[in-house]
């Protein structure tokens, strides 16, 4: 008969204590009897009083000594706090207690709150549980296999229960909790190996097997639930093995086979699900060659791999290597062998690229729906802190052994003591990391599941908040604290590397860490700066002094230096930033805009450290930085808008030179807008082509007007003719790139009754003036006007009348000229003349009779000669954008042959645009859709790569750069990550190789 509940357990009182279902709570308390008020008060301090009481009721029902349980809770506040804290936090451990009610006595230990168990005692208890001798160097389990596996799980949970109670009730430091969990994992691996030895049998004595912990276990910072990363090292039995005689020898191959059996059995023992649940997965994928490599290697095999093949991330993982089970002497030999290589990793050729790729790979693998709730991998998460600390260790640990501790918090403390991290920053980062790790532990304790994602449901958030001591408004306070520490971790992650660099060159008092010059150079080199001395000089010039500009620069540069380091050419980024800052330092808007508009500063860093083309444009007119700000500032202006602005500027200037100077300045600004958008947005090939073509159209239209006026003034008479400019080649196809000249033809048509000779002389002068004004050297980029596609080429007249063109084409036109006219597009000048020129050439380029066999042979002959004569000496045909196999010329000539053959009968083929013609050919069943897709992909990739190469190198380029840094920058512009240059080259060559096969069939063989 349940006793009545005390009067003070009213619904109001229970609600104030944190119970959600006060009626059910009162009923359960009544069923347990009149509890003492301290027990009820302790329930009110737990993470979930309702869950704690519900599980206590179940434990009471299953315990063989329920009255002893209740009396202990009433009489011993320590026992009550430990037990109820576990029951209110961990559903999984509560279920374990109900299944093994005798384990509640573990929490009565009066020393539990003040004494950390020794690792050897934990190991011994686990070995005894499976029937193994803890004093043996190679203990073997004596319990039957299935019984031993379950016994191991029960003992593991018993020790875990004790630890969790100490953690929750006595507020043990996160570093101590993680170290205890790591010791528990080491003992568990030892006991699992003892079971494996028993299963493998007597052959187990023929080998030595060391289990080396990696990652969090190796660093003594394991979570409650985590994969345990390990590496297995084996050796044949020798005289150091007490079970072998000195004369016995074991074949290495046999020893490795046995060791592999032991290792795979150990993995199975820890990871399998049984009636007693599971422990955790043992992950051996950090071994050489990962999953593809052998599970077990000898020490010599490990050494050979790390000396020859290992990547930077593998050495970063080895920072925490620690022997934890099996043959500890062999494990220590492994660590001592590998350690020197770890501390030389920062000197490796690809260290910077590898580090960037590691961080990016982590971010790329976060599921989008988890990005804002990721405690471990997201921005400001645990990995940010760990990654930063490990990178600082790799950089400075080469010369300073004091900063080599494997545990994150210990390493951070040593980095702070050594002056590599500011004291205030070090403490703030420690606080953030400790909070995030504790939060992670609470999330995992609830159901003992491996997760790093913060839940979204309010009930779980309430439990987590209360577990961290936020009793008044747990959900709100938890979110506030989490976001605060997250921001701090991210802010400090940025500061950690870069702000001490500023203090190293500053000449003003500061509390920041002060690196020595050599340490600063080491750090800059590790971040990708090839000329660390020059970088330090730039930093000193930018930040020295007490001016407002220097103060703002000291605020900006930590973030900018990180963005530079994440780009292909940090040196160019920092140098360009100094040049622009020198030019604009006195402008009140410049630094303020960068400080207040983070996206603008990031875009500037990306442009400066990636593109010489865009940087040159910026350095010619630093105020172009304004283009990088604002939501729509990078959207290219239309031809009409640009042309109107150019005309307005020209109208205010009488001198042709001054007028065109203003036109070229506007063109320079728009080139910057287009290239910056391509780098930061980015654009596609078509968008860049249209934008550059529109800009060229506007420039030529206004320049033609200026040149006409200048010649008229010089000759003292009006120009007695109409004039037009015909775009050719990629310009005519709206496919211009950053390195494109303007291929054109000039045409004029004298007015009725005009003197033909005067008109022709003036037309020639106007064309020459257009070319001179736009092509002359000056502060703004030249626009080269190439008229070599005109009739008779360089030997022909620069300007012809419409009638002269008609006569020439009627009598002399060759097939190559008809092919060139496929991309002719009248773009500038008199509208009527443009249309009449188009009417003139359409029958030539779209012949009704199609392409004769002789003409096709001639086209093929010319193509072969072009490839033979125009391919630059030493160029690689596999990566030449224009003339390489499967490159631009291959694709364009192939589609142009189809146009010459069929455009007379298929109107949709009458276009100057390559991709439109390609689509029309498919629609007309002239080309297989798969072949068209192959050609399209290769053409787009070659065009994008060509644009990227010009952006990176700052000059026209038809070849994938051979310089390692330039090639990496092209890969970056194309969207590849750090370290993916080879993938970019492979993708390019694969696409063009496939296109070449289509060209062979369609162009050369059809």
């Amino acid at each position: 008969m349940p006793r009545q509940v005390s009067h003070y357990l009213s619904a109001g009182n229970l609600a104030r204590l944190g119970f959600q279902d006060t009626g059910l709570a009162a009923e359960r308390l009544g069923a347990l009897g009149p509890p003492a008020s301290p027990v009820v008060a302790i329930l009110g301090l737990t993470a979930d009083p309702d869950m704690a009481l519900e599980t206590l009721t179940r434990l009471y029902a299953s315990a063989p000594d329920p009255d002893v349980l209740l009396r202990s809770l009433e009489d011993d506040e320590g026992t009550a706090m430990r037990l109820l804290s576990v029951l209110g936090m961990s559903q999984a451990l509560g279920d374990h207690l109900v299944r093994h009610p005798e384990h509640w006595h573990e929490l009565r230990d009066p020393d539990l709150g003040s004494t950390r168990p020794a690792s050897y005692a934990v190991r011994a208890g686990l070995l005894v549980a499976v029937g193994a001798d803890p004093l043996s160097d190679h203990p073997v389990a004596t319990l039957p296999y299935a019984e031993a596996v379950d016994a191991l799980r029960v003992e593991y949970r018993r020790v875990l229960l004790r630890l969790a109670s100490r953690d929750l009730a006595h507020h043990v430091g996160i570093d101590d909790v993680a170290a205890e969990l790591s010791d528990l994992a080491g003992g568990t691996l030892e006991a699992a190996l003892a079971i494996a030895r028993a299963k493998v049998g007597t052959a187990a004595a023929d080998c030595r097997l060391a289990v080396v912990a990696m990652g969090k276990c190796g660093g003594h910072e394991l979570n409650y639930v985590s994969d345990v990363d390990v590496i297995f090292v084996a050796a044949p039995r020798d005289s150091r093995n007490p079970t072998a005689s000195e004369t016995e020898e074991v074949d290495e191959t046999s020893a490795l086979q046995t060791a592999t059996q032991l290792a795979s059995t150990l993995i199975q023992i820890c990871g399998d699900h049984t009636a007693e649940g599971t422990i955790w997965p043992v992950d051996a994928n950090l071994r050489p060659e990962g999953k593809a490599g052998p599970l077990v290697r000898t020490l010599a095999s490990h050494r050979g791999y790390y000396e020859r093949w290992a990547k930077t991330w593998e050495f970063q993982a080895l920072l925490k290597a620690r022997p934890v089970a099996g043959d500890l002497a062999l494990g220590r030999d492994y660590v001592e062998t590998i350690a020197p290589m770890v501390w030389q990793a920062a000197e490796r050729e690809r260290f910077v690229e590898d580090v960037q790729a590691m961080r990016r790979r982590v971010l790329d693998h976060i599921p989008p729906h988890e990005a804002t709730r990721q405690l471990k991998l997201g921005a400001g998460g645990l990995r940010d802190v760990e990654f930063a600390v490990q990178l600082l260790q790799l950089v400075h640990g080469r010369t300073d052994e004091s900063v080599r501790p494997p545990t994150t918090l210990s390493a951070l403390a040593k980095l702070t003591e050594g002056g590599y991290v500011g004291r205030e920053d070090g403490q703030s980062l420690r606080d953030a990391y400790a909070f995030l790790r504790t939060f992670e532990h609470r999330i995992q304790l609830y159901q003992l599941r491996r997760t790093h994602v913060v839940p979204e449901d309010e009930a779980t958030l309430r439990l987590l908040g209360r577990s961290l001591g936020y009793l008044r408004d747990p959900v709100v306070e938890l979110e506030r604290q989490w976001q605060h520490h997250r921001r701090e971790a991210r802010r400090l992650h940025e500061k950690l590397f870069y702000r001490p660099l500023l203090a190293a060159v500053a000449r003003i008092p500061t509390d920041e860490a002060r690196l020595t010059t050599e340490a600063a150079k080491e750090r800059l080199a590790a971040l990708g700066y090839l000329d660390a001395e020059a970088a330090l000089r730039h930093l000193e010039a930018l930040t020295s002094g007490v001016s407002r500009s220097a103060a703002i620069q000291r605020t900006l540069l930590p973030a900018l230096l990180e963005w530079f380091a994440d780009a292909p050419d940090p040196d160019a980024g920092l140098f360009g930033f100094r040049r622009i800052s020198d030019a604009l330092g006195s402008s009140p808007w410049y630094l303020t805009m960068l400080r207040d508009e983070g996206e603008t500063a990031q875009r500037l860093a990306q442009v400066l450290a990636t593109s010489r083309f865009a940087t040159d444009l910026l350095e010619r007119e630093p105020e172009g930085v304004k283009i990088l700000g604002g939501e729509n500032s990078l959207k290219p202006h239309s031809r009409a808008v640009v042309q109107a602005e150019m005309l307005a500027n020209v109208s205010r200037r009488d001198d042709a030179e001054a007028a065109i100077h203003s036109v070229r300045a506007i063109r320079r600004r728009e080139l910057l807008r287009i290239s910056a958008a391509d780098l930061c947005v980015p654009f596609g090939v078509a968008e860049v082509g249209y934008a550059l073509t529109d800009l060229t159209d506007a420039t030529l239209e206004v320049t033609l007007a200026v040149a006409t006026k200048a010649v008229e003034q010089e000759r003292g008479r009006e120009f007695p003719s109409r004039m037009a400019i015909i775009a050719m080649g990629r310009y005519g196809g709206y496919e211009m790139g950053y390195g494109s000249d303007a291929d054109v033809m000039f045409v004029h048509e004298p007015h009725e009754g005009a003197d033909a000779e005067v008109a022709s002389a003036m037309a020639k002068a106007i064309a020459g003036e257009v070319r001179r004004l736009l092509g002359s050297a000056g502060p703004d980029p030249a626009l080269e006007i190439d008229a070599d596609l005109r009739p008779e080429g360089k030997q022909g007249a620069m300007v012809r009348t419409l009638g002269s063109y008609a006569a020439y084409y009627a009598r002399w036109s060759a097939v190559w000229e008809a092919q060139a006219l496929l991309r002719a597009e009248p773009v500038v000048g008199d509208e009527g003349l443009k249309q009449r020129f188009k009417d003139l050439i359409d029958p030539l380029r779209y012949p009704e009779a199609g392409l004769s066999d002789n003409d096709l042979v001639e086209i093929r002959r010319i193509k072969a000669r072009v490839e033979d004569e125009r391919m630059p000496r030493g160029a690689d045909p596999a990566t030449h954008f224009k003339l390489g196999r499967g490159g631009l010329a291959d694709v364009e000539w192939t589609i142009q042959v189809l146009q010459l053959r069929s455009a007379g009968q298929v109107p949709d083929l009458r276009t100057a645009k390559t991709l439109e013609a390609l689509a029309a050919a498919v629609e007309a069943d002239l080309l297989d859709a798969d072949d068209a897709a192959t050609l399209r992909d290769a053409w787009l990739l070659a065009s994008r790569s060509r644009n990227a190469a010009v952006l990176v190198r700052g000059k026209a380029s038809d070849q994938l750069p051979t310089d390692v840094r330039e090639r990496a920058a092209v890969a970056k512009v194309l969207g590849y990550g750090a370290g993916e240059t080879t993938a970019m080259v492979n993708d390019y060559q694969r696409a063009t190789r496939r296109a070449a096969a289509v060209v062979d069939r369609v162009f050369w063989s059809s």
Side-chain angles (χ1 to χ4, degrees):
M1 182 77 177
R3 289 165 282 185
Q4 295 299 310
V5 181
S6 302
H7 69 278
Y8 59 82
L9 296 181
S10 64
N13 285 331
L14 289 174
R16 279 190 288 274
L17 288 170
F19 288 92
Q20 298 294 293
D21 191 337
T22 56
L24 184 58
E27 182 181 330
R28 285 172 173 162
L29 288 167
L32 291 172
S37 56
V39 175
V40 180
I42 291 171
L43 279 168
L45 296 175
T46 64
D48 188 339
D50 295 271
M51 183 171 73
L53 181 55
E54 187 270 337
T55 310
L56 177 61
T57 303
R58 289 196 291 134
L59 177 59
Y60 178 82
S62 65
D65 51 357
D67 291 335
V68 175
L69 169 65
L70 288 182
R71 280 199 303 273
S72 294
L73 293 178
E74 292 177 2
D75 298 342
D76 184 354
E77 185 177 344
T79 299
M81 180 63 78
R82 287 187 287 272
L83 177 59
L84 297 178
S85 293
V86 170
L87 299 185
M89 180 69 240
S90 178
Q91 188 179 73
L93 287 176
D95 292 342
H96 170 82
L97 275 169
V98 172
R99 196 164 57 250
H100 296 280
E102 70 279 4
H103 281 179
W104 80 264
H105 289 280
E106 295 292 328
L107 308 185
R108 300 175 72 185
D109 183 350
D111 295 326
L112 192 58
S114 58
T115 305
R116 173 182 167 181
S119 59
Y120 69 84
V122 173
R123 173 183 177 275
L126 290 159
L127 286 169
V128 169
V130 301
D133 180 5
L135 299 179
S136 169
D137 288 336
H138 296 78
V140 180
T142 58
L143 292 180
Y145 179 79
E147 187 178 336
V149 169
D150 276 346
L152 177 59
R153 281 154 172 69
V154 172
E155 178 64 12
Y156 176 84
R157 289 292 175 91
R158 183 190 71 82
V159 180
L160 192 67
L161 172 67
R162 291 172 62 91
L163 171 57
S165 72
R166 294 179 61 240
D167 181 14
L168 295 166
H170 298 287
H171 308 296
V172 179
I174 186 65
D175 44 355
D176 286 333
V177 172
E180 286 189 46
L181 287 165
S182 302
D183 289 342
L184 175 55
T188 303
L189 290 168
E190 190 73 81
L193 184 55
I195 301 172
R197 289 193 186 102
K199 185 172 183 179
V200 170
T202 57
D206 292 340
C207 71
R208 303 167 61 201
L209 178 65
V211 184
V212 179
M214 307 284 284
K216 289 188 178 297
C217 184
H220 259 117
E221 49 190 6
L222 200 64
N223 294 329
Y224 273 102
V225 187
S226 178
D227 291 355
V228 173
D229 297 308
V230 301
I231 283 179
F232 296 105
V233 189
R237 179 181 57 186
D238 61 17
S239 57
R240 283 183 288 178
N241 187 333
T243 65
S245 68
E246 292 186 11
T247 59
E248 287 181 301
E249 293 183 3
V250 178
D251 175 72
E252 185 175 281
T253 302
S254 298
L256 281 174
Q257 290 175 345
T258 302
T260 301
Q261 282 184 279
L262 288 171
S264 57
T265 304
L266 179 152
I267 291 173
Q268 182 180 355
I269 289 167
C270 293
D272 273 359
H273 287 267
T274 74
E276 290 295 341
T278 187
I279 303 177
W280 21 247
V282 174
D283 189 343
N285 290 336
L286 290 178
R287 66 185 184 270
E289 299 178 84
K291 292 180 180 179
L295 182 62
V296 180
R297 288 177 183 256
T298 63
L299 181 55
S301 177
H302 277 285
R303 181 194 300 115
Y305 173 84
Y306 288 119
E307 287 177 343
R308 190 172 183 183
W309 302 111
K311 296 180 174 60
T312 300
W313 70 262
E314 294 177 276
F315 290 112
Q316 186 173 358
L318 287 165
L319 281 170
K320 298 179 182 294
R322 175 175 65 96
V324 293
D327 193 312
L328 297 181
L330 178 59
R332 286 191 289 271
D333 288 345
Y334 169 86
V335 172
E336 290 170 5
T337 299
I338 301 304
M341 301 184 214
V342 172
W343 301 113
Q344 293 165 6
E347 300 172 3
R348 291 164 57 89
E349 183 178 345
R350 291 184 50 80
F351 177 77
V352 176
E353 293 88 344
D354 288 348
V355 168
Q356 291 175 341
M358 281 187 285
R359 176 63 186 153
R360 191 171 290 106
R361 193 157 47 239
V362 168
L363 295 175
D364 289 345
H365 282 77
I366 301 175
H369 64 279
E370 292 183 2
T372 60
R373 310 296 290 179
Q374 255 284 351
L375 201 59
K376 178 180 180 181
L377 303 179
L382 292 162
R383 184 59 59 86
D384 263 357
V385 182
E386 293 161 356
F387 194 85
V389 170
Q390 289 166 22
L391 187 53
L392 287 176
Q393 286 183 282
L394 288 173
V395 172
H396 300 297
R398 290 177 294 174
T399 54
D400 187 349
E401 294 185 9
S402 71
V403 302
R404 297 183 180 180
T407 306
T408 300
L409 289 178
S410 300
L412 180 58
K414 291 297 183 181
L415 287 165
T416 305
E417 287 177 17
Y420 304 105
V421 177
R423 292 191 177 278
E424 184 177 332
D425 288 347
Q427 184 60 49
S428 296
L429 196 62
R430 187 198 187 287
D431 292 344
Y433 186 70
F435 173 86
L436 294 170
R437 283 300 306 275
T438 303
F439 190 13
E440 179 185 43
H441 278 193
R442 296 294 190 268
I443 293 173
Q444 294 182 345
L445 255 179
Y446 178 42
Q447 294 181 321
L448 286 183
R449 290 182 181 172
R450 182 176 180 267
T451 179
H452 311 285
V453 179
V454 178
E456 296 184 74
D457 65 286
E458 187 165 342
T460 307
L461 289 173
R462 179 177 179 275
L463 174 146
L464 293 170
R466 286 178 60 88
S467 77
L468 293 170
Y470 311 135
L471 302 181
R472 184 182 297 275
D473 197 348
V475 176
V476 172
E477 185 62 17
L478 173 64
E479 185 75 21
R480 188 182 70 80
Q481 289 292 331
W482 174 36
Q483 295 304 332
H484 165 72
H485 288 296
R486 184 181 184 179
R487 285 192 300 271
E488 278 295 280
R490 184 59 192 160
R491 180 181 68 84
L492 294 169
H493 171 74
E494 294 172 353
K495 284 183 62 177
L496 216 56
F497 291 101
Y498 307 106
R499 192 164 293 282
L501 292 170
L502 307 187
V505 298
R507 298 175 181 173
I508 59 174
T510 176
D511 294 329
E512 301 284 352
R514 278 194 180 276
L515 298 179
T516 64
T517 300
E518 285 307 309
K521 289 179 183 178
E522 285 179 349
R523 190 173 296 191
L524 283 165
L527 292 167
Y529 291 85
L530 298 183
D531 191 343
E533 288 190 16
L536 284 176
R537 288 197 301 272
H538 298 325
L539 291 177
E540 183 174 12
L542 287 164
T543 61
S544 293
V546 294
S547 67
R548 174 181 175 276
S549 294
I552 296 178
Q553 292 283 20
R554 287 192 289 272
T555 301
L556 284 172
L557 276 165
L560 284 168
L561 287 170
E562 180 176 27
W563 292 325
F564 292 148
D566 199 37
D569 195 343
D571 299 84
L574 182 55
F575 179 56
F577 180 70
R578 179 183 174 183
R579 296 264 309 260
I580 290 170
S581 293
D582 287 346
L584 294 176
S586 59
S587 303
W589 57 269
Y590 168 62
L591 290 177
T592 303
M593 181 182 73
L594 295 184
R595 182 192 63 195
D596 297 342
E597 300 177 19
E599 186 178 38
T600 304
Q602 188 168 6
R603 285 174 174 175
L604 177 62
Q606 188 172 344
V607 166
L608 293 175
T610 305
S611 173
R612 292 181 197 169
F613 180 86
T615 298
D616 287 347
L617 295 172
L618 261 178
E619 289 183 349
R620 289 173 180 178
E621 183 50 71
E623 292 209 5
V625 171
K626 292 177 180 176
I627 288 175
L628 302 176
E631 186 175 345
N632 296 313
S633 60
L634 292 183
K635 183 178 180 181
H637 290 170
S638 68
R639 172 181 176 171
V641 170
V642 175
Q643 192 168 306
E645 183 182 4
M646 287 178 172
L647 286 171
N649 279 15
V650 163
S651 68
R652 295 192 292 270
R653 293 166 174 83
D654 294 327
D655 178 63
E657 299 282 350
I660 296 304
H661 176 75
S662 71
V663 168
R664 289 176 63 169
I666 293 170
R667 177 173 177 268
R668 182 210 62 244
R669 185 199 67 204
E670 293 308 308
L671 284 173
L672 173 62
R673 191 189 312 278
I674 296 166
S675 58
D678 199 11
L679 290 163
C680 302
V681 176
F683 280 173
V685 171
E687 289 86 348
V688 171
Y690 276 104
L692 291 173
T693 300
D694 276 354
L695 178 58
T696 304
D697 288 349
T699 303
L700 283 174
E701 189 76 73
V702 176
T703 304
L704 179 62
V706 171
T708 301
K709 181 179 178 182
V711 170
E712 287 177 334
Q713 288 176 341
E714 179 188 341
R715 303 290 173 96
R717 61 185 302 168
E718 281 190 20
F719 177 40
S721 188
R722 305 172 188 86
M723 193 165 183
I725 299 177
I726 314 303
M728 303 289 287
R730 296 181 73 81
Y731 176 28
Y734 290 85
E735 297 160 359
M736 293 187 80
Y738 297 108
S740 297
D741 294 340
D743 291 314
V744 303
M745 294 194 301
F746 293 96
V747 59
H748 80 104
E749 186 181 55
H751 298 312
E752 187 175 350
D755 187 323
E757 288 189 11
V758 171
S760 291
M762 290 187 71
K764 182 179 178 181
I766 291 168
E769 186 71 352
V770 168
R771 299 181 74 195
R772 184 189 72 80
L773 289 171
L774 292 177
S776 61
D780 297 309
L783 175 60
E784 297 296 335
I785 308 299
D786 187 340
D788 291 351
L789 290 176
R790 66 187 184 269
E792 301 178 273
K794 293 181 180 179
Q795 276 67 49
M798 178 64 65
V799 187
R800 289 176 180 263
T801 64
L802 185 63
S804 176
Y805 276 105
Y808 174 85
Y809 287 136
R811 186 173 184 186
W812 303 109
S813 178
V815 67
W816 72 264
E817 291 178 299
Q819 183 182 352
L821 288 171
L822 285 169
R823 308 185 80 184
E825 186 69 25
V827 290
V828 168
D830 183 84
E831 293 297 328
L833 179 57
K834 288 192 292 184
Q835 185 59 50
R836 287 190 289 278
F837 185 88
K838 195 168 185 179
D839 293 340
L840 168 67
I841 65 174
D842 277 357
L844 297 171
R845 57 183 177 173
Y846 309 136
E848 286 190 16
L851 192 65
S852 71
D853 290 342
N854 288 338
D855 285 342
L856 179 57
V857 169
E858 176 66 7
I859 288 174
R860 287 173 175 168
R861 186 189 66 76
I862 295 172
K863 176 85 163 66
R865 195 185 75 192
V866 166
E867 290 178 357
D868 183 56
E869 295 178 358
R870 296 191 183 178
M871 179 72 77
R873 180 176 297 177
D876 181 3
T879 56
H880 196 277
F881 305 130
K882 184 175 182 180
L883 300 177
R885 282 181 56 76
L888 296 170
D890 266 4
V891 176
E892 290 166 4
W893 282 58
T894 299
I895 189 61
Q896 286 162 15
V897 163
L898 294 178
Q899 288 179 288
L900 288 170
R901 274 181 174 170
S902 304
Q905 304 300 322
V906 181
D908 286 347
L909 280 171
R910 300 171 191 174
T911 174
K913 301 170 186 175
T914 300
L915 296 186
E916 281 190 9
L918 200 57
V922 174
E923 189 67 25
D925 291 328
L926 300 174
L927 188 63
D928 179 79
D930 289 340
D931 286 348
T934 298
L935 294 177
R936 180 182 186 277
D937 291 346
W939 188 88
L940 284 172
L941 182 55
S943 298
R944 288 179 60 223
S945 301
R946 192 188 206 185
N947 279 344
V950 177
L951 283 174
V952 168
R953 303 187 69 207
K955 57 186 177 182
S957 178
D958 277 322
Q959 179 81 54
L960 196 65
T962 55
D963 177 81
V964 173
R965 178 164 272 192
E966 287 183 347
R967 185 169 282 198
V970 169
K972 172 84 171 180
V973 174
L974 294 178
Y976 290 86
E980 294 182 341
T981 305
T982 301
M984 180 222 20
V985 175
N986 290 342
D987 288 347
Y988 182 85
Q989 292 182 340
R990 185 184 305 110
T992 53
R993 188 169 58 248
R994 290 173 177 171
V998 175
V999 173
D1000 285 344
R1001 282 189 287 104
V1002 178
F1003 180 83
W1004 293 106
S1005 301
S1006 62

